[in-house]
Amino acid sequence: GSVMTPYIFEAPSDRTTTGLEVYAAVTGAGADWGGCNVWVSLDGTGYLNAGTIYGGARYGALTGPISGGSLPVQLNASETLAAASAEDAAALSSLCYIGGASPEYLAHTGATLTGVGAYTLSGLERGAYGTPVVAHTTGDPFVRVDEAVAKSGPLELSMIGKTIYFKFTSFNLFGKNEEDLADVTEYPYTLDGGNAGLSAPVGLTATETTGGIQFTIAPAGGSLAADVVLELYEHSAASPYGAAVLVWSGINTAFLLSKPGPGTWYYWARARKKTAYSEYF
């Protein structure tokens, strides 16, 4: 049988050599499905082999929001998710991806089976690769990111805004009876830029008022592109800023927030485009 509908997304730049690469989570539905060859085209006509997947990726969707440090997921096939050590999670060896409105990379330690292909993941290491730690909703895509995820290979930054195409030719458990390239479904994906080329804000001011604190973020170039949002992070110490917590995001360059508790507080701003993040200002 052919593959199930794949889930395609862009890799964080730290995992690429050019700053741009596309991942595809793909698996088969049949019991005799053994894997597939991965084919990539830049024009939808000429295809090049980009590797071979054996056994299929583990992907599906969230069955609820993250609550109490637990992440409930349902895989598309009856694959298994294994527990990991705290050291492996900290090293992102159990890396996962949550899609949706605010994508996040994270890792886990615990993996409790709750049904056929259903798990509750715990011991989460959240916000990997600088992605925001935010709420997620039921139905958001979930992918276990490992060697079973297909990769386009490194792409030039000039491909941003253009469409690439995937095909997957399946074979059986014995590596035989592979589908013909001309007979399988073509899956297009338009590149939005991943983590490439997103400029940091160039200014940040905070003015205390009777109603709270008035913040103003100055975006690079003086204005925001339609698909870019700004984010503000808050921390009670100047270092490390990586421990700062997201307190606001939006497309407004000026906004009012409630005052935090007594003491000295520190703020950082950055720009985001899906899973793409600029440096902090």
Side-chain angles (χ1 to χ4, degrees):
S2 297
V3 300
M4 301 172 66
T5 301
Y7 181 73
I8 303 174
F9 58 106
E10 291 180 34
S13 60
D14 287 351
R15 292 174 64 95
T16 73
T17 58
T18 63
L20 189 62
E21 189 169 12
V22 177
Y23 289 170
V26 61
T27 193
D32 295 325
W33 189 87
C36 63
N37 279 306
V38 181
W39 303 86
V40 176
S41 172
L42 302 184
D43 58 9
T45 302
Y47 276 85
L48 294 176
N49 184 268
T52 305
I53 298 298
Y54 297 97
R58 293 167 286 180
Y59 68 109
L62 273 58
T63 54
I66 297 178
S67 177
S70 296
L71 171 62
V73 302
Q74 174 66 57
L75 302 180
N76 289 335
S78 56
E79 303 286 352
T80 59
L81 291 171
S85 68
E87 292 78 10
D88 283 343
L92 304 182
S93 296
S94 56
L95 185 67
C96 302
Y97 172 83
I98 300 175
S102 296
E104 180 183 357
Y105 282 95
L106 52 78
H108 67 90
T109 55
T112 302
L113 182 66
T114 59
V116 178
Y119 286 85
T120 296
L121 305 181
S122 57
L124 306 178
E125 289 279 349
R126 301 193 62 185
Y129 300 109
T131 49
V133 178
V134 297
H136 300 283
T137 61
T138 301
D140 279 350
F142 170 86
V143 181
R144 174 68 167 84
V145 184
D146 57 13
E147 67 279 356
V149 171
K151 300 175 177 63
S152 66
L155 299 169
E156 296 299 324
L157 298 186
S158 60
M159 286 296 299
I160 294 173
K162 298 180 181 179
T163 300
I164 66 171
Y165 305 84
F166 283 90
K167 284 190 174 185
F168 307 94
T169 52
S170 299
F171 46 79
N172 63 24
L173 290 171
F174 303 99
K176 303 295 184 181
N177 206 28
E178 182 177 357
E179 295 175 298
D180 189 274
L181 186 63
D183 296 334
V184 297
T185 301
E186 179 179 79
Y187 297 97
Y189 178 83
T190 301
L191 291 99
D192 64 23
N195 284 6
L198 191 58
S199 299
V202 295
L204 172 62
T205 61
T207 304
E208 187 176 4
T209 72
T210 55
I213 301 177
Q214 179 72 37
F215 289 94
T216 301
I217 301 174
S223 62
L224 288 177
D227 53 355
V228 174
V229 300
L230 297 172
E231 295 185 340
L232 184 74
Y233 292 77
E234 177 185 81
H235 193 34
S236 59
S239 181
Y241 66 76
V245 175
L246 178 67
V247 292
W248 179 89
S249 67
I251 60 174
N252 300 323
T253 56
F255 50 92
L256 185 70
L257 294 184
S258 299
K259 299 175 185 178
T264 301
W265 295 83
Y266 300 83
Y267 294 88
W268 294 264
R270 67 177 178 177
R272 174 172 67 83
K273 178 180 176 182
K274 292 189 177 180
T275 59
Y277 292 88
S278 74
E279 297 295 329
Y280 288 97
F281 179 87

